[in-house]
C-alpha cells in the first residue's frame, strides 16, 4: 500500500503532466487487504500504445489501450487512444515505482 501511495502522490503532484482517469479496486470487496490498486492515466500528446511500447523497451510492463472495455472510453474521453493502466502488485518494489514515475516524467519532458 505504501508503494501505491507513492505512485499516486507522484502522479497527482504532476497534474500538468498526467491526466488521471481513475483509481480503484474491486468495489465489491470489503476486505481492504484483498484489494488491488489500479491507476488509469494518460500523458498529454501521446497515444497509450506509444507509451506502452516505450516503457516495454525500458523493462517496465503495464497495460495500455482499451482494457477489454471499448465503450467506456467514449464516456471518459479517451476514445481513439485508450489509457495506460498501472496496477502495482505484491512483487513490485519501491525501485519499480520510482523507475515508472521517472520514466513517465521523462517521456513528457522530452516530447
Amino acid at each position: 500500500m505504501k508503494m501505491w501511495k507513492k505512485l499516486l502522490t507522484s502522479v497527482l503532484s504532476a497534474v500538468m503532466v498526467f491526466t488521471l482517469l481513475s483509481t480503484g479496486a474491486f468495489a465489491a470487496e470489503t476486505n481492504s487487504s484483498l484489494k488491488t490498486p489500479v491507476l488509469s492515466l494518460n500523458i498529454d500528446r501521446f497515444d497509450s500504445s506509444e507509451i506502452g511500447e516505450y516503457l516495454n523497451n525500458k523493462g517496465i510492463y503495464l497495460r495500455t489501450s482499451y482494457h477489454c472495455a471499448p465503450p467506456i472510453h467514449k464516456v471518459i474521453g479517451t476514445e481513439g487512444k485508450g489509457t495506460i493502466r498501472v496496477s502495482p502488485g505484491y512483487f513490485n518494489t519501491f525501485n519499480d515505482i520510482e523507475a515508472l514515475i521517472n520514466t513517465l516524467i521523462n517521456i513528457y519532458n522530452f516530447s
Side-chain angles (χ1 to χ4, degrees), residues 85-105:
R85 189 177 73 198
V86 181
S87 54
Y90 179 79
F91 293 104
N92 291 109
T93 66
F94 278 103
N95 289 339
D96 295 335
I97 300 302
E98 288 289 332
L100 172 63
I101 293 164
N102 292 332
T103 305
L104 290 174
I105 291 170

Side-chain angles (χ1 to χ4, degrees), residues 54-67:
Y54 183 85
L55 291 169
N56 284 346
N57 290 332
K58 298 287 185 184
I60 300 170
Y61 305 100
L62 42 70
R63 295 288 313 262
T64 64
S65 193
Y66 297 114
H67 316 295

Side-chain angles (χ1 to χ4, degrees), residues 12-89:
L12 292 177
S13 69
V15 291
M16 73 297 252
V17 176
F18 304 105
T19 302
L20 182 63
L21 298 163
S22 69
T23 61
F26 297 106
E29 180 57 60
T30 57
N31 181 347
S32 63
S33 67
L34 298 177
K35 291 186 177 190
T36 303
V38 175
L39 175 69
S40 186
L41 60 100
N42 275 329
I43 299 178
D44 297 341
R45 303 183 309 272
F46 288 96
D47 183 277
S48 64
S49 61
E50 295 174 310
I51 302 302
E53 182 177 3
Y54 183 85
L55 291 169
N56 284 346
N57 290 332
K58 298 287 185 184
I60 300 170
Y61 305 100
L62 42 70
R63 295 288 313 262
T64 64
S65 193
Y66 297 114
H67 316 295
C68 301
I72 196 64
H73 291 276
K74 288 181 183 180
V75 175
I76 63 174
T78 58
E79 187 177 30
K81 69 179 188 176
T83 64
I84 302 159
R85 189 177 73 198
V86 181
S87 54

